[in-house]
């Protein structure tokens, strides 16, 4: 199968490596002027992996789209809307499936990424998401994991699972696209909260964070029309190992650095997701106390120790 | 309030320390000849903590029971039945509440610990459980956590929560005693499974373990007449940080040592719980694939790598 991967950062380059690793014919695109692409063109390596010669590298979007049977997109979630406009301008076959290998919600609208795609391309655009646990570093070292692919079109889900399954990644068929997208995005917020607990020497409260975090999101997902239990599957709870505990987790690291007053290069993806979730909280009338606490610490500059202790330790209640 | 703690191992001595710490009048009992008690009598210390002089130490069970307004029991779960017979022989006021600060199910019968108490004492015995996350080492160093108290008698639950709540431990009222007891016991089995994944260099699969482990137990709890969602609260999922990730976790350590072929002093509590859960699995017709895998590795000597990979990575399915 001919696979094009759009975006050549950590996850984009991994998706290209993986598709090649399981025998597909791969093109990896980076935007003209991308430092990541430049590095790969010069050395065929980045911090995480080496790309075999069989993978084509290009900055020509039209050519990358024309070459594809399936197109994987892995860019920053907040850039998806403008990127979708670029895709429309470049043109592609109406049947081309897009797989969003990214996690987030649009800041300002709270919209899911598949919604952004449908709005900017056309309602019938064939879009799926590929989410769940796993670190690039672990996969490259041969450590397997389970992930999930979901779309509104069951036939497309099965086609993609058949195309990408291997002993390194075993897929589950996602059956609740809404719940999977919200859960996958929101786990980054819980990752920031976990890092904040680490930074505040309250690591032991990560257990309560897992139970209460998944709970608040399950209520939101149900209010939005999804299945509450989806949050307890691979896309959210199943990603907690990678997000709340691993040293590789960017969002966890960001939360800890923030509390410890260490400088950080850029806001983690979870920060935008926090804003988007609070919009949804208001729209659907669902309280999200952990998400609101993360927001209060980062955006309202509230005292982290006080906010975190209040969150878990103030009142006695029923579960 | 006069609090007696029966059992002076790691958790028993902590419960005595904690009840004293929050201002109660405490008696700590150990069986005659107990090495733990001997050590405490001689040094007032153990590996984890120092007991203030205000705590009375005794090996006289009758005196310890007579002194109590509330009695906390913290011994090995498999010894509870014979210990309950000792309690009956010693005699105690019918209104005395017992709090089981221990996690397990009876091997051979699959019975819950409150059931064992009711069978050996009398059906109306006032018994509650006190479970949830937290390590003795963390509490002693001042790191707070959330825990849960549950009983069949709502008034007793509220009385106990009022008696024991403090800034160090904040309680939730447990409302599903069955689900809480099964979940609290079963988290030790998931702890062993987590250690096995660490030992097999499959740590990244702990995410899938969390999602699938909680799922299989929620199905069992529902089949037994409890609430499926209880498993996703503090007693089970909320205890995963302490059990699946912490280096302090005995069950996780046992699983890792088992896989790595390192000698271990004694079987972890979770091993007995595995047997008990498989009895319940058969009795209620509910498949428990992770529990069965732990059993296959420990008791049937199956190849751990093969069993663990088959568990998570064999077939493609719906979540």
């Amino acid at each position: 199968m001919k696979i094009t991967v759009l975006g050549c950062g950590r996850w984009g380059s991994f998706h290209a490596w993986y598709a090649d690793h399981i025998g597909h014919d791969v093109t990896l695109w980076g935007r003209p002027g991308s430092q990541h692409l430049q590095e790969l063109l010069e050395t065929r390596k980045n911090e995480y992996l080496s790309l075999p010669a069989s993978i084509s590298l290009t900055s020509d979007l039209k050519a990358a789209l024309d070459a594809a049977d399936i197109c994987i997109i892995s860019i920053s979630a907040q850039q998806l809307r403008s990127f979708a406009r670029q895709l429309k301008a470049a043109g592609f076959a109406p049947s081309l499936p897009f797989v969003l290998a990214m996690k987030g919600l649009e800041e300002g609208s709270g919209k899911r990424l598949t919604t952004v795609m449908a709005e900017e391309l056309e309602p019938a655009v064939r879009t799926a998401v590929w989410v769940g646990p796993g670190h690039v570093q672990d996969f490259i070292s041969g450590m397997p994991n389970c992930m999930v692919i979901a779309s509104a079109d069951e036939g497309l889900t099965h086609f993609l699972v058949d195309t990408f399954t291997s002993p390194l990644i075993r897929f589950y068929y996602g059956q609740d696209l809404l719940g999977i997208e919200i859960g996958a995005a929101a786990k980054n917020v819980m990752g920031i909260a976990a890092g904040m607990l680490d930074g505040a020497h309250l690591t032991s409260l990560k257990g309560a964070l897992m139970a209460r975090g998944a709970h608040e999101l399950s209520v939101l997902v149900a209010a939005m029309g999804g299945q509450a239990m989806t949050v307890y599957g691979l896309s959210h709870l199943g990603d907690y190992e990678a997000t709340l505990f691993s040293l590789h987790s960017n969002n966890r690291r960001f939360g800890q650095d923030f509390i410890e007053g260490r400088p950080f290069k850029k806001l983690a993806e979870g920060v935008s997701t926090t804003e988007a979730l609070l919009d949804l909280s208001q729209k659907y009338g669902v309280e999200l106390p952990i998400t609101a606490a993360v927001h209060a610490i980062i955006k309202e500059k509230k005292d982290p120790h006080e906010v975190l202790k209040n969150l878990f330790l103030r009142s006695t209640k029923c579960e």
Side-chain angles (χ1 to χ4, degrees), chain A residues 11-307:
Chain A
W11 275 104
S13 62
F14 168 72
H15 277 286
W17 176 91
Y18 177 70
D20 175 87
H21 175 72
I22 61 174
H24 295 299
D25 185 3
V26 180
T27 298
L28 175 59
W29 172 91
R31 62 181 167 73
S34 151
Q35 284 197 346
H36 289 311
L37 181 64
Q38 197 55 39
E39 186 185 8
L40 289 171
L41 282 166
E42 282 167 17
T43 66
R44 298 200 72 88
K45 274 191 208 172
N46 61 23
E47 192 183 337
Y48 305 100
L49 49 76
S50 296
L51 292 181
S54 46
I55 296 175
S56 305
L57 294 168
T58 182
S59 63
D60 180 337
L61 187 56
K62 176 71 181 153
L65 288 165
D66 284 348
D69 295 320
I70 297 172
C71 182
I72 298 173
I73 303 180
S74 182
I75 62 171
S76 160
Q78 302 311 318
Q79 292 173 10
L80 184 63
R81 190 175 290 279
S82 62
F83 188 63
R85 289 177 192 146
Q86 282 181 258
L87 294 176
K88 189 166 192 171
F92 55 86
S95 64
L96 180 65
F98 289 98
V99 183
L100 303 178
M102 46 201 290
K103 297 165 184 172
L105 295 168
E106 190 178 50
E107 195 175 339
S109 75
K111 284 180 180 163
R112 293 150 50 200
L113 303 182
T114 57
T115 307
V116 170
M117 288 288 281
E119 286 179 356
E120 293 299 330
L121 299 166
E122 52 176 302
V125 63
R126 303 180 74 203
T127 311
V129 300
W130 171 342
V131 298
H135 286 292
V136 169
Q137 295 91 325
D138 289 340
F139 283 131
I140 295 291
S141 75
M143 199 183 275
N145 220 322
C146 312
M147 298 184 85
V148 58
I149 287 178
S151 77
D153 169 354
E154 204 176 322
L156 177 59
T157 302
H158 281 250
F159 166 67
L160 293 171
V161 167
D162 289 346
T163 302
F164 290 113
T165 201
S166 82
L168 191 58
I169 304 184
R170 186 63 54 174
F171 289 97
Y172 282 67
Y173 302 114
Q175 294 174 294
D176 171 22
L177 181 61
L178 184 149
I180 284 173
E181 285 194 83
I182 299 291
K187 68 100 200 179
N188 285 332
V189 178
M190 299 303 149
I192 293 175
M196 288 176 167
L197 290 175
D198 285 333
H201 302 290
L202 294 168
T203 297
S204 60
L205 289 173
K206 282 192 202 175
L209 171 64
M210 290 199 278
R212 304 310 301 168
H215 175 74
E216 75 180 41
L217 291 162
S218 74
V219 177
L220 176 65
V221 164
M224 293 177 72
Q227 303 295 316
M229 287 309 295
T230 302
V231 167
Y232 294 97
L234 283 171
S235 57
H236 185 80
L237 175 58
D239 212 352
Y240 276 10
E241 183 278 326
T243 307
L244 274 62
F245 295 95
S246 173
L247 297 176
H248 298 322
S249 165
N250 280 343
N251 286 283
R252 197 207 61 76
R253 183 77 251 168
F254 171 84
Q256 183 167 357
D257 286 349
F258 192 92
I259 296 292
E260 293 177 351
R262 253 200 299 272
F264 42 87
K265 274 191 226 145
K266 58 172 197 146
L267 291 178
E269 182 67 57
V271 177
S272 298
T273 308
T274 303
E275 298 275 4
L277 283 174
L278 290 184
D279 288 343
L280 294 175
S281 163
Q282 201 158 24
K283 182 168 175 188
Y284 291 94
V286 171
E287 281 190 40
L288 303 176
I290 296 174
T291 308
V294 169
H295 189 267
I297 292 169
I298 296 176
K299 293 297 176 83
E300 300 157 36
K301 309 292 177 204
K302 295 274 173 69
D303 178 60
H305 290 79
E306 200 174 314
V307 171

